[in-house]
Amino acid sequence: MLNDAIEKVLVSEEELKAKVTSLGQQITKDYAGKNLLMVSVLKGSVIFMADLMRAIDLPCTIDFMCVSSYGSGTKSSGVVKIIKDLDIDLHGKDLLIVEDILDSGKTLHYITKMLSDRGTASIRIATLLDKPDRRTAPLTPDYSGFVIPDEFVVGYGLDYDEKYRNLPYIGVLKPEIYGGK
């Protein structure tokens, strides 16, 4: 039934597993000897974050932020609302912000600036999906899983109106589901 809403699979479950393993190996190498704090931007990145942290062979701490700039629509409103802030003191931490998708970059640019003002040692961004065609903020991810076209995608944590997060792959949602063309 979930699959009926999907026009096509963009990234398979097997491709996701291989890429997360590869990213985890690179992050392990890059953060050796550092004070790694992984920050998941909820809700979309929770599945990616869980798999990625298991692929990293280093001690690390985790925390969660919940921000919104979408509501129930398909395009960012441009207004960033912090719903849940971090609980951990960031002073001296090497932050890795884990995001599901980087499109316009407005929300992540805002979060990055806000967190850097809290005394972090460093901030890097890991995104599962990168949509550079939609980028309007001056932001480039340090770790990127897949560069994707400007299509409306769901699955592996990504949603439309809080649905489809539980798909084990990244799929393009049929336009008639969200009122697209």
Side-chain angles (χ1 to χ4, degrees):
M1 288 196 274
L2 269 179
N3 294 320
D4 295 341
I6 303 304
E7 188 172 86
K8 66 181 176 184
V9 173
L10 199 59
V11 183
S12 72
E13 189 173 359
E14 295 75 25
E15 290 171 311
L16 286 166
K17 287 178 184 175
K19 182 57 76 173
V20 169
T21 298
S22 173
L23 289 171
Q25 290 169 346
Q26 185 62 51
I27 291 166
T28 298
K29 185 174 158 186
D30 293 349
Y31 280 86
K34 295 191 177 188
N35 193 6
L36 177 58
L37 168 60
M38 298 176 68
V39 174
S40 174
V41 182
L42 297 174
K43 300 176 187 170
S45 71
V46 72
I47 295 173
F48 177 43
M49 170 81 153
D51 288 347
L52 183 61
M53 61 191 256
R54 287 188 297 241
I56 295 172
D57 188 20
L58 293 172
C60 65
T61 53
I62 64 169
D63 204 347
F64 301 89
M65 284 189 86
C66 189
V67 300
S68 177
S69 66
Y70 282 87
S72 64
T74 61
K75 295 199 186 312
S76 174
S77 68
V79 177
V80 178
K81 179 180 172 188
I82 305 295
I83 297 167
K84 186 230 177 273
D85 205 342
L86 298 176
D87 298 322
I88 296 175
D89 177 19
L90 301 183
H91 187 75
K93 299 275 198 280
D94 294 292
L95 254 66
L96 179 61
I97 299 172
V98 180
E99 183 63 284
D100 54 353
I101 189 165
L102 178 55
D103 49 26
S104 75
K106 290 177 186 175
T107 301
L108 207 48
H109 187 262
Y110 177 86
I111 292 169
T112 302
K113 171 73 173 110
M114 181 185 77
L115 297 178
S116 70
D117 291 343
R118 296 183 187 179
T120 58
S122 67
I123 297 180
R124 291 184 180 174
I125 297 167
T127 187
L128 178 63
L129 304 174
D130 187 8
K131 277 189 190 180
D133 291 345
R134 291 185 40 103
R135 193 91 71 253
T136 58
L139 199 63
T140 303
D142 300 280
Y143 306 96
S144 177
F146 303 91
V147 175
I148 64 167
D150 189 12
E151 297 186 275
F152 196 83
V153 293
V154 294
Y156 198 71
L158 287 94
D159 74 302
Y160 169 65
D161 201 19
E162 296 298 325
K163 298 174 184 75
Y164 310 105
R165 293 185 195 278
N166 54 323
L167 289 168
Y169 56 81
I170 303 293
V172 176
L173 194 62
K174 289 181 179 175
E176 59 265 25
I177 303 293
Y178 63 91
K181 296 178 183 175

